[in-house]
Amino acid sequence: MSSYTRMGELEIEKHTQFIMSVEKKKDFDSMVMEHLRMSGAYWGLTTLDLMGKLDAVNREEVVSWVLQCQHDCGGFSGNVGHDPHILYTLSAIQILALLDKLDTIDADKISAYIVGLQQEDGSFAGDEWGEIDTRFSYCAVCCLSILHRLDKIDVGKAISYVASCKNFDGGFGCTPGGESHAGQIFCCVSAFAISGALTHVDRDLLGWWLCERQVKSGGLNGRPEKLADVCYSWWVLSSLTIIERVHWIDKEKLKTFILDCQDKEHGGISDRPDDAVDVFHTFFGIAGLSLLEYPGLKPIDPAYALPVHVVDRLFFGQPH
Amino acid sequence: MHGRPRKSSSDGGSQEKDMAKAAGLQSLQTQFFKNHHEKIYTKEALQLNAKLLEINPDIYTAWNYRKLAIKQLLESESESASIKQSLDEELRVVERALKRNLTSYGAWHHRKWVINMGYSSLDHEFQLLDQLLKADSRNFNAWNYRRFVADMKKSRDEDELKFTTKKINENFSNYSAWHNRSAILSHMLKNKYGGISAKEQEMTEEYELVRQALFTDTEDQSGWFYHLWLLGQKIAPIGPKLEMSWPCNGSQLVIDFNEQSHAYVSDFDTPFGTDHCMFSEGIPLVLHFSEPVKGVNASTVSVNSLLLQSESLVWRPISPHGLQAKTWVTLLKLPSTNFRAGETYTVQIRVADTLGIILLNGYNFACPTALNFSLDIHTMTIRSTGGNFETVPLAWEADFFFPLAIDENKFPIELHLDSLSIDGSGNQENTRWQQETLDREIKVCRELLEIEMDSKWAKLTLARLLIAQDMLSGGSILRNKRMHTDEVLQLFNDLIEIDPSHAEYYKDQFSLILLDKVSSGKQNLQEYLWDSKGTGSLSNGERNKWLRLHGLSLSRLGSLEQLLWVQRLDISHNRLQSIDGLEALQLLGCLNLSHNLLANFTALGPLRQIKTLRALNIADNKIGAHTVNSTRFSFPSALNNSSISNADTTRDADEENLEISWEITIAFKGLHLRQLDIAGNPANDEKCRRLLMKTLPSLKWLDGTSVN
C-alpha cells in the first residue's frame, strides 16, 4: 500500500482531547516526565493555539501554576519544587508570551538570572552547576529578546561562542568540536536569527546537509544514517526555513509522513508510524505541519517557536 | 517517547503493573524532594536518591542534590582517600544511570563535574568510553565526553586520530567518527600550518581512507560529506579574494563634471560597448570580495591619485546587517579645483596591503590585490541622460526591445571582465597539487559511476569537482575557459531525475552554473544584451541597454560579481524566490522582477541597499500568497533586535496589516523609486498601496498610474 493512500486529515479534535488529557495522566511515563512539565505545558499550549483551540484552557490556572515555579533567583523550574534551570525559564516565558501575560512577571529579575549564567567566553550555563551547551545560548537569547532585554548580555561574545561550534558539514554541536545534530542546529541558527547574525551560517552547505536529512519514507532524521523521527520535522524544517532553503526538501512527502504518525483513534502524534504518542511529538508534528502551510493551522515563527501572531504582537505591537 | 510501540488501551493487566511502577516512583520522588528541601544528606538519603536516579536519570534536580551533598562533604572532609571514595561512588551512580539512558545530559554532566575535581583515573574513563561506544557508536554525548577526557589528559591529536581510524574501520558508516576526525584534523592543521595549508602526504592518506568507504557503500552519506570537506580544505579554488571591482581594472572612465551641481556623467566601457551613467554624489568605487569581510577602510584600502585623498574616503558595507559584507562601496568626489579638463588621471588602488580586513572566521584576509583605472576629465557641461520619469512611465513590455547591434571592434576586451592583478596568490606547486588531486578524484567518481550508474552521490561529487577544475584552470586569468559546463548541466539534469525529492536543490545549482556560463565571456553574454527603443521618458532620443536574463527558469542568482556594470536588468519570467546577492549591482537603475515566485516584501530586502534604483517591476509574483515567510529573519527588524525601530515602520496601526507594514519598510524604506509595478500579487490591495506610497514618497508611477 503506498503511503499516499494511508494519508488522512489532521485530526484536530482528537489531538485537542489528547493534549487536554495528558495533564491528568498519572501513569509511569507521565511520572518520568514530571521534571519537565513546564516544557510539556509549553508544547501542549502552543499546539492548541496553532490549532485554534487555546480557549479549551483555563488561562488563569496556567499562569498561577507557572508563577509557582519561579524561584527567588528569577529562574523557573520544570515543576513546582524542582530546581530552576534556563530550559524551563524559556518555556515559562514562552507560555506567558503565548497567553499575553508577560505583565505578571518582573522582567528585570528574570533577565538578571539569565545574565548571571553567561560565561567569560560568551557561552551560557544551564544553571548554577555549570553545564555548557549551545541549547542554553538559544534559551538565553530567545528569552531576553522576548523580554526586550537582549542588550543586557554581551551579544557579540554569545554569538562568537555559538559560531565556534560550527563543524565541517556546516552544522553545529553542543560545544566546540561536538557533532552536528538537527536539534542543536535549530538552537544555533535561531540564536543567530534572533540576534541578526545569520552571516555566520553557510546557508548552502548547511542547507544541503539539512535537506539530506529527508529519508525515503519522507520523514526527516537528525543526523546522517539515523532513523526518521517526527521531532525533526520541526528542528530541520525551522532551520531550513530561517536560511531560506526549505524548498530543497519534498514537502508533500514529509506532510504524509507526519500525518501517518497520528494516533487516529486517541489523538496525539508519535515519532514514527504506530509508535506510542506523546505531547512532545504532537507539538513537533503540528509545528512542522504549520511550517508546511497545512490548511487550518496558524503559522508558527521558526526562530521563536511561538505562533507568528504572538511574535508580531511582541515586536510590532504596542511600542515598549 | 522514542521507538516504543503504541499500546492498546484494553490491555488491563499491564496497566495495573504500570500504575504500581508509577506509585513506586512517586513515593521515591516525594521522599527525595523532602530531603532536598530540608537539606538532608545522610547516607540513607543519598542511597534513596541513587535509587531514584537509576529509575529516572533525567530528573535533573536529583543530580543537583548529589552535588550539594559532595560540596558539604568537601567542607568537612580533608582526607583525600575518603573524598576519593565518595567520588567513586558518584561515578558508579552515573554509570548505572547511563546504563538506563545513555543520552542523559544530567548524568554526563555530573560525571564531568566529578572528574573535574581531579581525584579520578582518566584511564578508567577511556575504558568506560570504549565500552559505551561499542554499545552505541553514534552516541554524541559519549563522543563529547571523550573529547573532554582527551583534553584533560592532554592526549596527543595523533592518538585521538588513531581512535577515529579504528572506529571508522569497524564501520565506515560511523558519521560521528568521521566528524571527530575532521575536528581533530582541523585542530592539527591549525596548530601546524596556521590553518592555511595542508601537507600533501597527510591529505593523501585521508583520500585513501575515504575512498575505501565510498567503494564499500556508495550510498552511505558519511564518507561523502567527509570527502567534500576534504576537497574544501585545500582544493577550493576560490580562496578568499577580491573578485571584482567597478570601475574594473585597466578601464577608463570619461567624466563630465559640473562644478556647480557636483554631478558627474561618466562614459565607460561595458560588454555593451560604451555606456554612460549619471552620478549625483560622486563616482562609486565598488569592491566585491568572494566572502563577507569587515575592516575595509582608508587604512586597509589605499587609493592613490592626484585627484583624491585616500584618507578622506568613507567605505560602506553593502549588507543589511552592516559591518560584514562581500560588497563595499565608497564615493569618489572630484575636488572643485586642482584638476585640468582634458587631462587623464590614474587612480591606483591597493587592497589589503596592510592587515585589517578580517574574514568571518576571524582570520586576516591575506590576498593583497592591486588594480587601477583612469579618469579622463573631459568637458564641463552637463548632459541630460533622460530617465526622469516625469511624463510617461517606463514600459516593460518585451516588444519594446530589440537585439543590440554590437560593433565587434568596440566590444571591450575580455580583460575588463576579470583581470585583477593579484600579488602573491598561491604558488605554482600548490596549484599543481590541486590540479592533480582534482584529476584523481574525478577519476575516482567516474570509476564509481561505472560500477553504479545511478549513484547520486558520485554524480553530485563529480559535478562539483568538474566545476572546481574549470575554475582552477580558468579562474584567475580568463574566465571563458569553461570546459565542462555542458557535462555539469547534464549531471544536474540526471540528478533531478534520480533524486526527485531534492529536485529544487539541483535546479538551484543548475541556475548557478547557467549564470556562470552566461556571464563568463562575451560570446555567451552577447545573446542577452538588448537595446530598448524609446517611447517613454527613458529614451530622450537615446537607446538604453538592458541585460535580459528573462525566461531562463532561474531559481537562484549567482555570478553577480561579473555584472557590476549593469544598470538595467530584466530577470522576469524566472522562478526566483530570493534575490540574495543582487545588492552587489550598485549601478542598477531599472529592474524587472515580474513573473517570479517572490513570496514576501521581505524577500526584496537586498534592494534597499541599491540607492540608485528608480524603476522596479515586481508584478505577477506571489507576494502575500503564503503564510510562512522564510525571509523573516534575513533583514534587520525588531524581530532580530536590529536597527529598524518600531517608529521606523510605517504605521497604519491595525493589527491585521502589522506584518505587511514592517515588511514594506524592510524592503523599501529610504529608496528613491520613481516607478513601481506590483499588480498581480495577492498582497496588492488598497491598504498595501497606501503603505507603499507612504514609504516611497518619491514615487511617480504605481502600476502605470500617476501618483499625486
Side-chain angles (χ1 to χ4, degrees):
Chain A
M1 190 160 55
S2 98
S3 56
Y4 283 94
T5 56
R6 288 188 61 188
M7 174 174 165
E9 300 276 297
L10 181 65
E11 300 283 350
I12 288 187
E13 292 306 326
K14 292 253 168 67
H15 297 320
T16 307
Q17 282 165 24
F18 168 73
I19 290 167
M20 297 306 288
S21 73
V22 166
E23 175 63 19
K24 294 165 204 105
K25 280 195 182 147
K26 288 280 175 252
D27 59 356
F28 183 74
D29 288 338
S30 314
M31 280 298 302
V32 170
M33 306 261 281
E34 245 199 39
H35 66 280
L36 47 74
R37 193 169 179 240
M38 186 67 77
S39 297
Y42 153 72
W43 294 322
L45 293 167
T46 308
T47 311
L48 288 176
D49 190 45
L50 293 176
M51 299 190 299
K53 298 288 183 186
L54 198 53
D55 289 341
V57 174
N58 181 330
R59 291 172 185 240
E60 300 308 319
E61 234 173 61
V62 175
V63 172
S64 107
W65 175 77
V66 168
L67 295 179
Q68 280 179 56
C69 295
Q70 192 175 20
H71 295 249
D72 291 340
C73 62
F76 290 77
S77 48
N79 206 333
V80 178
H82 293 237
D83 288 353
H85 196 282
I86 198 167
L87 284 171
Y88 309 110
T89 304
L90 173 61
S91 294
I93 298 301
Q94 284 171 317
I95 292 171
L96 295 174
L98 182 74
L99 301 177
D100 202 8
K101 295 283 186 192
L102 282 171
D103 54 353
T104 59
I105 44 150
D106 179 349
D108 288 322
K109 196 173 164 185
I110 300 169
S111 315
Y113 169 71
I114 295 166
V115 170
L117 293 173
Q118 191 172 29
Q119 311 295 301
E120 196 42 50
D121 63 359
S123 67
F124 280 84
D127 60 14
E128 59 175 311
W129 298 105
E131 184 184 1
I132 303 294
D133 193 310
T134 45
R135 284 181 299 151
F136 309 147
S137 301
Y138 167 70
C139 292
V141 166
C142 189
C143 255
L144 290 174
S145 182
I146 291 174
L147 298 172
H148 301 288
R149 279 165 178 73
L150 195 57
D151 57 339
K152 301 286 182 214
I153 53 160
D154 189 329
V155 180
K157 268 189 171 180
I159 288 311
S160 50
Y161 179 78
V162 177
S164 76
C165 297
K166 194 193 301 201
N167 289 320
F168 80 118
D169 47 23
F172 298 86
C174 306
T175 47
E179 185 183 343
S180 301
H181 175 283
Q184 218 75 40
I185 290 169
F186 159 79
C187 290
C188 296
V189 169
S190 295
F192 290 138
I194 291 171
S195 31
L198 280 171
T199 35
H200 286 285
V201 182
D202 184 335
R203 292 176 181 225
D204 284 340
L205 182 61
L206 177 60
W208 177 59
W209 189 89
L210 285 169
C211 81
E212 281 297 339
R213 298 307 100 241
Q214 188 161 37
V215 301
K216 289 218 166 62
S217 66
L220 301 166
N221 62 20
R223 291 188 284 158
E225 309 302 330
K226 287 281 196 179
L227 290 174
D229 181 324
V230 158
C231 66
Y232 298 112
S233 310
W234 169 256
W235 305 124
V236 173
L237 214 49
S238 57
S239 306
L240 280 173
T241 304
I242 293 170
I243 62 170
E244 299 176 60
R245 298 292 181 273
V246 77
H247 59 293
W248 286 356
I249 62 159
D250 186 331
K251 295 186 191 179
E252 287 310 310
K253 273 176 93 174
L254 176 58
K255 226 180 257 180
T256 310
F257 177 79
I258 299 173
L259 291 170
D260 279 348
C261 291
Q262 297 182 97
D263 182 337
K264 303 196 81 164
E265 211 179 320
H266 306 101
I269 296 176
S270 51
D271 58 349
R272 284 182 279 281
D274 302 322
D275 276 357
V277 302
D278 58 60
V279 69
F280 174 86
H281 287 95
T282 307
F283 166 69
F284 289 118
I286 287 176
L289 288 173
S290 161
L291 285 178
L292 293 168
E293 306 190 304
Y294 191 90
L297 292 179
K298 294 185 194 171
I300 187 164
D301 182 285
Y304 289 98
L306 284 167
V308 165
H309 73 94
V310 173
V311 174
D312 284 357
R313 183 178 65 216
L314 284 169
F315 296 102
F316 304 109
Q318 293 312 303
H320 298 272
Chain B
M1 263 162 263
H2 288 99
R4 213 123 48 81
R6 213 169 275 170
K7 282 180 284 192
S8 86
S9 54
S10 57
D11 192 351
S14 80
Q15 220 173 4
E16 245 167 59
K17 245 163 109 187
D18 185 281
M19 291 319 274
K21 253 171 82 191
L25 180 57
Q26 171 88 66
S27 130
L28 274 178
Q29 216 162 282
T30 313
Q31 292 176 67
F32 156 67
F33 275 108
K34 187 165 178 290
N35 291 336
H36 181 37
H37 296 143
E38 290 173 9
K39 300 185 171 41
I40 297 168
Y41 305 113
T42 60
K43 205 174 157 193
E44 292 71 32
L46 278 159
Q47 274 168 358
L48 179 124
N49 166 287
K51 218 167 146 190
L52 173 64
L53 282 169
E54 203 178 331
I55 301 173
N56 184 11
D58 287 326
I59 174 161
Y60 66 98
T61 306
W63 292 113
N64 296 348
Y65 167 83
R66 294 199 78 85
K67 293 188 193 74
L68 285 167
I70 293 288
K71 274 180 94 172
Q72 205 197 39
L73 174 87
L74 288 175
E75 276 164 25
S76 57
E77 184 66 72
S78 58
E79 203 189 317
S80 83
S82 87
I83 293 176
K84 184 173 183 314
Q85 204 182 3
S86 300
L87 293 180
D88 283 347
E89 170 60 13
E90 292 308 303
L91 296 180
R92 279 192 293 274
V93 173
V94 171
E95 259 180 69
R96 286 200 294 272
L98 288 177
K99 271 183 195 140
R100 160 84 49 174
N101 179 6
L102 196 51
T103 57
S104 167
Y105 287 88
W108 284 111
H109 180 62
H110 194 65
R111 197 165 191 94
K112 276 189 189 174
W113 189 82
V114 171
I115 294 291
N116 256 330
M117 303 225 172
Y119 287 88
S120 319
S121 145
L122 294 173
D123 287 328
H124 174 260
E125 295 309 289
F126 269 162
Q127 287 158 18
L128 175 72
L129 276 166
D130 282 347
Q131 277 175 36
L132 295 177
L133 285 172
K134 212 164 261 168
D136 178 3
S137 64
R138 295 290 309 278
N139 186 283
F140 68 83
N141 304 80
W143 279 101
N144 285 347
Y145 187 64
R146 187 175 174 103
R147 267 186 301 275
F148 164 78
V149 178
D151 213 35
M152 271 199 89
K153 222 181 149 224
K154 303 206 168 24
S155 305
R156 294 181 334 134
D157 279 342
E158 287 77 2
D159 294 335
E160 284 305 292
L161 199 67
K162 260 186 211 146
F163 180 74
T164 66
T165 315
K166 182 176 151 233
K167 292 313 261 184
I168 289 169
N169 282 328
E170 280 169 21
N171 179 5
F172 282 126
S173 182
N174 191 338
Y175 189 81
S176 306
W178 289 109
H179 157 77
N180 211 33
R181 196 173 181 84
S182 80
I184 297 165
L185 216 54
S186 303
H187 187 246
M188 289 170 78
L189 292 174
K190 196 170 162 186
N191 280 357
K192 246 186 187 163
Y193 312 109
I196 295 166
S197 79
K199 270 281 179 286
E200 213 164 305
Q201 311 88 309
E202 283 167 46
M203 284 305 188
T204 309
E205 275 171 35
E206 291 306 304
Y207 280 107
E208 271 161 28
L209 183 67
V210 79
R211 196 172 311 135
Q212 285 175 42
L214 302 182
F215 275 95
T216 306
D217 181 356
T218 320
E219 291 315 290
D220 190 282
Q221 301 191 345
S222 315
W224 288 111
F225 278 111
Y226 191 75
H227 187 249
L228 176 73
W229 172 75
L230 213 49
L231 290 167
Q233 276 309 289
K234 202 62 202 95
I235 302 304
I238 326 168
K241 65 169 189 176
L242 180 65
E243 285 188 313
M244 189 48 80
S245 68
W246 193 91
C248 58
N249 189 29
S251 62
Q252 183 173 33
L253 272 65
V254 181
I255 306 283
D256 289 358
F257 175 52
N258 184 297
E259 267 180 75
Q260 275 81 46
S261 66
H262 276 267
Y264 309 78
V265 176
S266 171
D267 288 341
F268 49 91
D269 282 344
T270 73
F272 292 121
T274 307
D275 202 357
H276 63 255
C277 191
M278 178 158 157
F279 305 110
S280 53
E281 288 166 65
I283 301 152
L285 169 54
V286 184
L287 297 180
H288 188 88
F289 296 85
S290 59
E291 287 177 26
V293 295
K294 62 179 176 184
V296 173
N297 53 45
S299 70
T300 53
V301 177
S302 71
V303 179
N304 288 312
S305 168
L306 291 172
L307 280 176
L308 299 155
Q309 284 188 321
S310 177
E311 307 79 59
S312 62
L313 294 179
V314 180
W315 287 91
R316 191 164 59 90
I318 303 301
S319 144
H321 289 290
L323 289 178
Q324 262 127 358
K326 283 186 175 182
T327 311
W328 287 77
V329 176
T330 189
L331 290 175
L332 305 178
K333 292 179 196 204
L334 299 186
S336 34
T337 52
N338 283 344
F339 69 90
R340 269 184 298 176
E343 197 97 348
T344 300
Y345 295 87
T346 306
V347 181
Q348 286 181 315
I349 297 155
R350 297 188 73 85
V351 180
D353 253 359
T354 54
L355 293 181
I357 298 182
I358 310 290
L359 303 165
L360 265 184
N361 60 13
Y363 288 123
N364 267 295
F365 174 81
C367 184
T369 306
L371 59 113
N372 65 74
F373 57 89
S374 57
L375 299 177
D376 187 359
I377 313 287
H378 201 55
T379 68
M380 307 246 286
T381 55
I382 208 88
R383 290 174 293 166
S384 165
T385 54
N388 56 15
F389 301 89
E390 294 300 337
T391 47
V392 196
L394 168 68
W396 301 98
E397 289 79 39
D399 56 359
F400 190 67
F401 294 97
F402 57 95
L404 193 63
I406 290 172
D407 177 355
E408 269 298 319
N409 299 321
K410 280 189 99 181
F411 208 104
I413 44 176
E414 292 288 352
L415 181 106
H416 283 181
L417 283 175
D418 175 60
S419 73
L420 299 178
S421 60
I422 295 170
D423 304 340
S425 78
N427 54 44
Q428 294 249 311
E429 194 195 331
N430 222 342
T431 315
R432 187 177 52 79
W433 180 65
Q434 288 177 344
Q435 193 63 64
E436 282 169 12
T437 308
L438 280 174
D439 290 346
R440 191 186 61 226
E441 295 308 307
I442 286 172
K443 216 176 121 213
V444 169
C445 283
R446 293 202 194 278
E447 276 169 28
L448 271 172
L449 283 168
E450 273 170 30
I451 305 166
E452 276 182 66
M453 261 175 58
D454 281 346
S455 163
K456 79 163 205 188
W457 293 90
K459 279 196 192 247
L460 179 58
T461 307
L462 178 60
R464 287 170 170 169
L465 287 164
L466 292 174
I467 295 166
Q469 200 181 43
D470 275 0
M471 297 188 90
L472 195 65
S473 55
S476 57
I477 306 155
L478 290 174
R479 281 186 53 92
N480 60 350
K481 283 202 180 156
R482 290 288 189 267
M483 311 284 289
H484 298 106
T485 301
D486 292 334
E487 185 180 359
V488 171
L489 289 176
Q490 185 54 48
L491 283 167
F492 281 116
N493 267 332
D494 292 353
L495 283 162
I496 291 170
E497 287 208 1
I498 300 171
D499 182 21
S501 287
H502 297 112
E504 293 297 325
Y505 172 77
Y506 302 124
K507 286 179 187 171
D508 281 4
Q509 306 311 307
F510 192 98
S511 297
L512 292 175
I513 302 298
L514 195 64
L515 281 171
D516 176 67
K517 182 184 174 182
V518 165
S519 63
S520 64
K522 70 175 180 188
Q523 278 87 359
N524 296 330
L525 201 51
Q526 185 153 359
E527 64 176 291
Y528 303 98
L529 302 177
W530 295 70
D531 237 352
S532 68
K533 191 163 57 178
T535 51
S537 65
L538 263 184
S539 67
N540 269 9
E542 291 187 51
R543 287 172 168 183
N544 286 301
K545 291 151 184 166
W546 284 77
L547 177 66
R548 304 190 73 209
L549 301 170
H550 64 298
L552 298 174
S553 296
L554 298 174
S555 56
R556 180 79 187 266
L557 292 178
S559 300
L560 291 160
E561 75 282 355
Q562 297 301 320
L563 307 174
L564 300 185
W565 45 271
V566 174
Q567 297 181 63
R568 292 167 211 89
L569 178 64
D570 176 0
I571 34 176
S572 64
H573 297 270
N574 281 299
R575 299 176 56 247
L576 297 172
Q577 298 181 45
S578 156
I579 53 167
D580 273 0
L582 201 65
E583 68 276 10
L585 308 192
Q586 287 292 306
L587 306 188
L588 198 62
C590 303
L591 175 63
N592 187 351
L593 275 170
S594 66
H595 294 276
N596 274 291
L597 300 175
L598 298 165
N600 330 85
F601 283 110
T602 43
L604 298 166
L607 299 183
R608 211 175 164 198
Q609 306 291 323
I610 308 176
K611 304 294 179 204
T612 47
L613 196 65
R614 294 294 175 267
L616 173 68
N617 186 355
I618 47 171
D620 296 301
N621 273 277
K622 304 281 174 208
I623 296 172
H626 291 276
T627 55
V628 173
N629 178 356
S630 67
T631 43
R632 223 168 132 76
F633 286 94
S634 295
F635 303 97
S637 77
L639 274 184
N640 48 33
N641 298 276
S642 302
S643 53
I644 300 181
S645 70
N646 276 3
D648 214 11
T649 309
T650 307
R651 261 165 192 284
D652 225 342
D654 61 78
E655 190 159 339
E656 190 197 347
N657 64 9
L658 218 57
E659 175 125 5
I660 206 121
S661 161
W662 72 265
E663 283 190 14
I664 286 174
T665 305
I666 282 178
F668 295 130
K669 186 89 178 180
L671 279 184
H672 299 288
L673 282 188
R674 295 299 178 90
Q675 176 173 347
L676 177 64
D677 291 84
I678 190 194
N681 286 287
N684 182 25
D685 58 13
E686 232 353 272
K687 223 172 229 170
C688 170
R689 297 166 75 83
R690 217 170 43 239
L691 283 166
L692 281 168
M693 286 188 263
K694 247 178 163 175
T695 313
L696 292 163
S698 57
L699 210 60
K700 298 267 178 232
W701 303 97
L702 184 56
D703 285 329
T705 312
S706 172
V707 174
N708 296 322

